[in-house]
Amino acid sequence: MKHGNTKANLGLMIVLGIILFIWLQSLQQGSISHRESQWVLKMVQRLLSGHWLGIWLTDGRIRRLAHLAEYSSLGFFASLYSWRQWRKNFSMGILTLGIAIASMDEVIQYFAGGRTATWKDVCLDGVGVVAGIVMWRMGKCVFGRRPSVGGRWS
């Protein structure tokens, strides 16, 4: 097995792990999900005690930030995987995949009990995927260039 394939396979496992994590979070009943959000909110507010961000954060905002974190991770690692595997970045395909995963996420929540499914969350998740793609592209631009033999940056 080639070393590059091992890295690509690891990337695929990370992407699949993120999707699994997202969908497992959606399977939680509303009361459990709310309790987890409250726990995270209290931890973050303790860390930011005395700072205006700690006061600004609410349960709804921490949930939205969680959506952005999950889906930006998906966009970032899916971009990384596509580059490792095919040396191409399929941004539109990754965005389409992200929106499909987000839509399924909302369908799962609808049947989970005590949860609501909203198109706004799908839109927010799409923004998260785009943010992940942009972060990957920025990282590739900044860290992807290496000095050549002559000492010049390629």
Side-chain angles (χ1 to χ4, degrees), residues 61-124:
R61 289 183 176 136
I62 207 84
R63 285 175 163 295
R64 297 295 123 5
L65 289 171
H67 274 267
L68 284 173
E70 291 170 349
Y71 282 90
S72 63
S73 298
L74 178 63
F76 180 86
F77 284 104
S79 295
L80 179 62
Y81 170 72
S82 72
W83 182 254
R84 287 266 184 205
Q85 185 68 20
W86 299 289
R87 284 294 190 222
K88 291 183 179 180
N89 183 15
F90 298 104
S91 296
M92 288 308 295
I94 292 167
L95 177 59
T96 303
L97 175 68
I99 290 172
I101 290 167
S103 298
M104 188 65 193
D105 183 24
E106 294 303 309
V107 169
I108 292 169
Q109 283 184 23
Y110 180 78
F111 293 106
R115 308 278 301 262
T116 57
T118 68
W119 62 271
K120 290 178 184 177
D121 281 349
V122 174
C123 293
L124 182 64

Side-chain angles (χ1 to χ4, degrees), residues 27-45:
L27 282 170
Q28 291 181 341
Q29 290 201 351
S31 59
I32 296 169
S33 176
H34 180 71
R35 191 170 36 238
E36 276 189 8
S37 294
Q38 287 296 310
W39 181 79
V40 171
L41 177 61
K42 286 177 185 172
M43 276 189 45
V44 172
Q45 284 178 331

